[in-house]
Amino acid sequence: MSIQDEETEDRSVVSYRSVDLVVSVLLFLASIILGWTNWQIGAGWAPDGPEAGYFPFYLCVLLGIASLIGIVKGVISRSDASFVGRDQFKRVLQVAIPSLAFVAGIQWLGIYVSSFLLIAGFMRFLGKSSILASLVTPVIFVVFMFYVFEKQFTVLLPKGPIERALLY
Amino acid sequence: MEALSSLIHGFDVLLTWQNMALMLFGIVLGIFVGVLPGLGGPNGVAILLPLTFSMDPTSAIVLLSCIYWGALFGGAITAILFNIPGEAWSVATTFDGYPMAQKGQAAEALTAAFTASFVGSFLAVVLITFLAPLVAGFAIRFGPPEFFAVYLLTFCSFVGLGREDKHKIVISLVIGFLLTAVGMDTVSGQLRMTFGSVELLRGFDFLVAVIGLFGVGEILLTMEESFAFRGKKAVISPTVVFRTWATLPKYWLTLLRSSAIGCWLGITPGGAIAASFMGYNIAKRVAKDKESFGQGRIDGVLAPETAAHAAGTSALLPMLALGIPGSGTAAVLLGGLMVWGLQPGPLLFVEQKDFVWGLIASMYLGNIVGLIVVLATVPLFASVLRVPFPTIAPMILVSCAVGAFAVQNAVFDIWLMLAFGVVGYVFKKLGYPLAPLTLALVLGDKAEDAFRQAMIGARGSMTVFFSNGLVGTITIIALLVLFMPLIGQAVAWVRGTRAPKIEPEAPPVSAPASEA
């Protein structure tokens, strides 16, 4: 949900055109690699109908053509629009990096502890909430989550050492 | 009337206290989902889907479809009060809704928006009630070639009617198809595109993809803006509601026209977003004083909201009758049907009467309940937006992670979700539409099976898709729709030599490219 009317002087990190081109090239490479593996499986005609690779192979052909059009359009484009500004990108990374840590944390600490850390960290460091609020809010959220998923819907979420110590 | 008696039976199924409670819960949750930027219809439904695996299918669909209605209502609240569309389909609502709020008419604008939504979806539900059984009855005669032709029509409509770059729509579709093809081939049992990875054997689950693309991608997009929500306040009193309702009959033509546009775009997968823009633009074009649009006109709110809801609702018609969803959220609901063990398609009307008619009955009731709930709770939901985004964003992220994990109890899926999130972010910024990808993910296997069965039956001759009147007509319509932009250009070129060219009004490009 973006609103574009308050564009400020935000220096561009990378131009729209370069990202568009890179994505098109990656898609083109993907179409070749995937097309090749499907050709290996057999993209032709067996006695009982099309072979397993038939449908995906022609999809790859389509992907290849479409991404080639993308590449051509990107190359001839004269636009210098920005893909993302420096400040914007900083804010995106402020979510992206903790999210990575959160998912990694799920494997070591379980989802409850990891969620607590994610929410508390966000509130304290990005939201500048008070220490009390940044501790109490995630605790309530995590307890509620535990109640809903483990108790009401019996969805067993990944747990870590702390839950095991508490006999779960 | 057979449809009417079936509908009464549907109400019979629906009216248990448990279903009613689920309905209310679903609507409140849906409005919440609609209000929060970063949570939308498709991923709101996708996150909750795993929780319904053990539920009775009728209750499950009531809950999930009510979330959808709620989300359709909720998007308007933020659009009018905060000038921030909570959902992409409420972008057009901001054009006149926010100026109305600035003039101190927020309550009128909201009442108008909700009522218009109600009218739009109500007309669409009536259409579904009477048309869906007919379509299903007709479709029961379909064989694999006919079904593949209908799938082809759906995919071609995306390409032909989409507002995005054509090659990007094609890429989005193809990626969806390729993702479903990963893993074990259902016909031959061969492994495709797994590259020796054990995790990829299972293939990609569409729910994980939807949660990542729409949920995580949306959070990344939302974070780009330094969010300072400064909204108008509104309390809706009964007097305002009745005063606004009293003025509505004079806009009957706008309401009807927008409903018709919405129903058309919902059934063909144009979607609620396209419908809301088209509804707005046409209302503006036929108005006598075009300049006053954008400065807070009540029909500037009515037109897009009616169309968006009519489209959002009628998107369920092809889903029920043919097993082909008309929108992203409908696609997720369709995936739900398969998970609950129901085979989507025309036979649903014969074999699962309770389910189908319970759902249709819940559309009537859900919209009435939704209208009342949303009118009563606007201040509450508006206050949700005053909670700082850094508090809400991690909670949405955690909910997404839980939703992705619960699909197959696999942590790997949470990683996949993150990856899809990055893809969703980049794709949205580059203007790749995500609805075709979702649709292809859900329908990919079925489309491929239909194609292969048709091919086996015809011994590999493509002429099977033109072998009788029915399948030939559908195939030709599909190709016509696919090349419609080219045909349109050709016609304009021929006419251009004689008459001055009338440019169709381009929809504003500032619309976020997310899907209904």
Side-chain angles (χ1 to χ4, degrees), chain B residues 121-135:
Chain B
S121 22
F122 190 82
L123 290 176
V125 181
V126 173
L127 187 79
I128 292 181
T129 311
F130 294 101
L131 203 58
L134 292 180
V135 177

Side-chain angles (χ1 to χ4, degrees), chain A residues 13-88:
Chain A
V13 176
V14 59
S15 75
Y16 176 96
R17 185 172 158 238
S18 356
V19 180
D20 200 27
L21 256 177
V22 168
V23 169
S24 299
V25 170
L26 286 178
L27 287 169
F28 183 69
L29 291 179
S31 75
I32 291 179
I33 296 169
L34 294 177
W36 181 76
T37 68
N38 283 306
W39 185 259
Q40 294 280 305
I41 300 171
W45 204 257
D48 59 342
E51 288 180 306
Y54 179 90
F55 207 65
F57 175 76
Y58 285 98
L59 287 172
C60 291
V61 173
L62 211 58
L63 180 64
I65 296 170
S67 50
L68 264 183
I69 295 175
I71 293 174
V72 171
K73 276 195 164 180
V75 167
I76 57 178
S77 156
R78 286 276 161 266
S79 149
D80 57 351
S82 163
F83 179 76
V84 64
R86 192 167 281 221
D87 292 343
Q88 289 179 323

Side-chain angles (χ1 to χ4, degrees), chain B residues 138-198:
Chain B
F138 181 65
I140 260 172
R141 292 185 284 145
F142 281 18
E146 283 82 4
F147 266 111
F148 182 77
V150 176
Y151 291 129
L152 187 71
L153 174 60
T154 312
F155 298 124
C156 289
S157 324
F158 263 117
V159 180
L161 303 176
R163 290 191 288 118
E164 294 86 0
D165 284 344
K166 300 299 174 203
H167 72 277
K168 289 185 173 169
I169 305 177
V170 171
I171 288 175
S172 177
L173 266 174
V174 171
I175 291 177
F177 272 119
L178 284 173
L179 286 175
T180 56
V182 171
M184 196 181 290
D185 171 30
T186 44
V187 179
S188 68
Q190 272 176 300
L191 296 180
R192 298 195 291 196
M193 295 180 275
T194 56
F195 297 101
S197 155
V198 182

